Amino acid sequence: MAARSGAGRTVAVIGGGFSGTICAIHLLQHLQGNDRVVLIERERQLGRGVAFATAEPSHLLNVRAENMSAFPDEPEHLLRWLDRLPADERAQGAKEGPAGTFVQRGLYGRYVRDQLAAVLRAGRHADRLTILNDQATRLVRHGTSWHLATRNGRSLETDIAVLATGNFPPAPLPYAGCVDNPWQPEAVEEIDRDHPVLLLGSGLTMIDVVLRLVDRGFRSTIHVLSRRGLLPRTHAPAPSYADLLLDAEDRRSLVSLTRAVRREITRAQVAGFGWRSVIDALRPHSQLLWQELSPADRRRFVRHLRPWWDVHRHRAAPEVAERIHRLQAEGQLVLHAGRLEALEPSGPWSCGALATYRPRGTTASLALEVQRVINCTGTAVDLAAVDDPLIRQLLTSGTVRADGARLGLDCTTSSMMIDAAGQVVPGLFGVGPVVRGAFWEITSVPDIRSQAVEVARLIGRSLAGTVPAAA
C-alpha cells in the first residue's frame, strides 16, 4: 500500500482485551500523524479479556511481575507502576516472595488500562484513537480496504484490520446441565455449600474455580477429573540458565527435541540448576522450535505432550499452589485421572449429575453423584467450533483458515492471515491467542507484547509505503 495524503489511513483492532489494547497502544506510536486507530470491544472496560476480568483477590498472575511489563523494552515498567501505588494497595495486590512478585489479575487489568490512558493523556494521540463499545460481526474485503460491520449496526471502512479476539470459553460439552463457561459469575453462584461438585480439567482454569468456590465458603468435596490427573507445577526460584544447547540434530523431529530437552535438564541439574531454569531458557526459542516442527509433529505434540508441557511451562504462583495442595491434603480436593464416559441428570439439584468415568489404566468404570459439573478444560482452540459471528463468517467465506493443528487461525511468521486457498491476505493481521497455531507460545503477556510491537511496526511501514502490505 502507498500512503495517501490528507485524511490518512485507518487501522481497526478487533478485540480490546490485553492483545488488542496493547496492539492499539503500539500502533499509535508507529503510525504517521494523520493515521487513525479504531479499537472495537464489546465489554465496557478495555484491557481485561478473560484473563484479567476477574475481581477475585485470590486470582494471581501465573507469571512473575518482573516479566509482565506491557513494554518489552522496559522490563521494569510494571514494577515501577506498582511502586507508585499507595502502600496498602500494593501490599494487597502484589504478593512478594522468594520466587518473585505475583500480582492480582484484576489489578493487572487496571495496569493495562492505565497504559492506554497514559497514551491518550499525552495529547497527540487523543484524536487519533476511536473506541467502539460494540462487537464486530462481519469483515469483507472491498478492493484494497475492508468493510466492517458490528452487532449494533455500525459500518466502517478500514485500510487494515487486526484480529485480537483473545481467548474464547471452552467448547460446549455434549452433556446437558454442564456449566460450559467457568468464568461466568453463574458458574459458582447459587451452589449448595454442602454437596460435592465435579470440575472437568485440572489446569489453571480449575484452580481459579476451586479458589472461587472455597472463598465463598464451599465446604463439600471438589472432585477434579482429567485424562492424566496432572496439576500445574509451582513457581520457585529459578536462576537464569545460559548454557542451553539445541543443535540441528536435536531439532530435526519432535522425538529428538524431547530427548534433547530431557538431556538439557539432566545437564543443568549437574551444574546446580533445576528444571524450571531450563524451561525458562527455552522460552525465547519456543516459537522458532514450534515453527520448525512438521505439521505431523505439531499434531503429535498437541495430542501427547501438550499436557506435560503446560503443567511445567504454565506454573502456579506459590501462594496459590500452597492452597491447592492444602485442600488436597485435607481431602476436600480430590484429583481423579481418567476419561469421562457419561453424564446423566441425577439428584434434587437443577444441574445435578451422575458422572461415570473410567480411571486411567483400568477397564472398570466408577461413578460420582454431584450437584454441578463445571467445564474447566481451558480456552477453546478449535475456532471452527466457536460461537463467534465474526470468526464464523471469516472461516465460512474462506477469508481465513484454521491452522493444521487446529489451535487457532493460520498466519505467516509476520502475523498476516492466510486464506482458505493458502494465500496471504493483504491488510489482515492476527495478534495473540487467535493465531496460537502459528506461534504456539502466544498466549501470555511476554509473547503477545513482542508480537504486538512487530505487527505495529510492520503496519506502520506498510502504510508509510516503505514495505508492501503483503510483506
Side-chain angles (χ1 to χ4, degrees), residues 76-108:
E76 295 186 352
H77 190 276
L78 173 59
L79 295 176
R80 294 198 301 269
W81 183 85
L82 290 171
D83 286 338
R84 292 194 294 270
L85 295 177
D88 58 340
E89 194 172 348
R90 176 188 167 93
Q92 182 178 6
K95 312 300 181 183
E96 299 181 8
T101 301
F102 293 86
V103 177
Q104 288 177 355
R105 298 214 302 265
L107 181 62
Y108 187 80

Side-chain angles (χ1 to χ4, degrees), residues 246 249-262 282 289-290 293:
L246 296 174
E249 181 65 19
D250 293 331
R251 306 198 307 272
R252 64 183 174 85
S253 71
L254 179 61
V255 171
S256 61
L257 182 59
T258 303
R259 289 172 178 164
V261 171
R262 289 172 174 161
L282 281 168
L289 293 172
W290 173 258
L293 291 176

Side-chain angles (χ1 to χ4, degrees), residues 27 50 64 109 117 129 131 167 194 248 302 416-417 455:
L27 280 167
V50 169
R64 300 177 183 89
L129 175 66
I131 299 173
N167 290 303
D194 297 312
V302 172
M416 298 193 71
M417 306 308 298
V455 167

Side-chain angles (χ1 to χ4, degrees), residues 137-139 163 168 381-403 406-410 417-421 428 434:
T137 57
R138 187 173 178 81
L139 186 65
L163 301 177
F168 292 97
V381 293
D382 185 357
L383 299 190
V386 164
D387 185 22
D388 180 88
L390 177 63
I391 298 297
R392 187 166 56 244
Q393 177 260 320
L394 290 172
L395 285 169
T396 302
S397 66
T399 306
V400 299
R401 71 179 184 183
D403 69 273
R406 304 196 75 82
L407 294 172
L409 300 181
D410 203 5
M417 306 308 298
I418 298 175
D419 66 17
L428 183 60
V434 73

Side-chain angles (χ1 to χ4, degrees), residues 329-340:
E330 294 170 350
Q332 186 176 5
L333 179 64
V334 180
L335 187 61
H336 306 270
R339 182 194 294 270
L340 181 68

Side-chain angles (χ1 to χ4, degrees), residues 296-314:
D297 269 347
R298 293 187 193 184
R299 291 191 291 270
R300 290 187 189 100
F301 175 88
V302 172
R303 188 165 59 249
H304 299 296
L305 290 183
R306 179 183 178 181
W308 298 94
W309 171 258
D310 282 349
V311 298
H312 289 86
R313 167 67 179 81
H314 302 288

Side-chain angles (χ1 to χ4, degrees), residues 202 206-207 210 214 221-222 224 229-234 320-336:
S202 60
M206 175 277 295
I207 289 177
V210 168
V214 173
T221 304
I222 302 172
V224 174
L230 300 174
L231 285 175
R233 303 310 194 248
T234 308
V320 170
E322 182 182 349
R323 291 188 66 186
I324 294 299
H325 294 152
R326 186 165 61 248
L327 290 169
Q328 277 190 286
E330 294 170 350
Q332 186 176 5
L333 179 64
V334 180
L335 187 61
H336 306 270

Side-chain angles (χ1 to χ4, degrees), residues 213-234:
L213 286 168
V214 173
D215 288 346
R216 283 164 173 75
F218 188 79
R219 296 185 290 250
S220 189
T221 304
I222 302 172
H223 294 283
V224 174
L225 174 64
S226 70
R227 294 282 295 276
R228 295 168 179 82
L230 300 174
L231 285 175
R233 303 310 194 248
T234 308

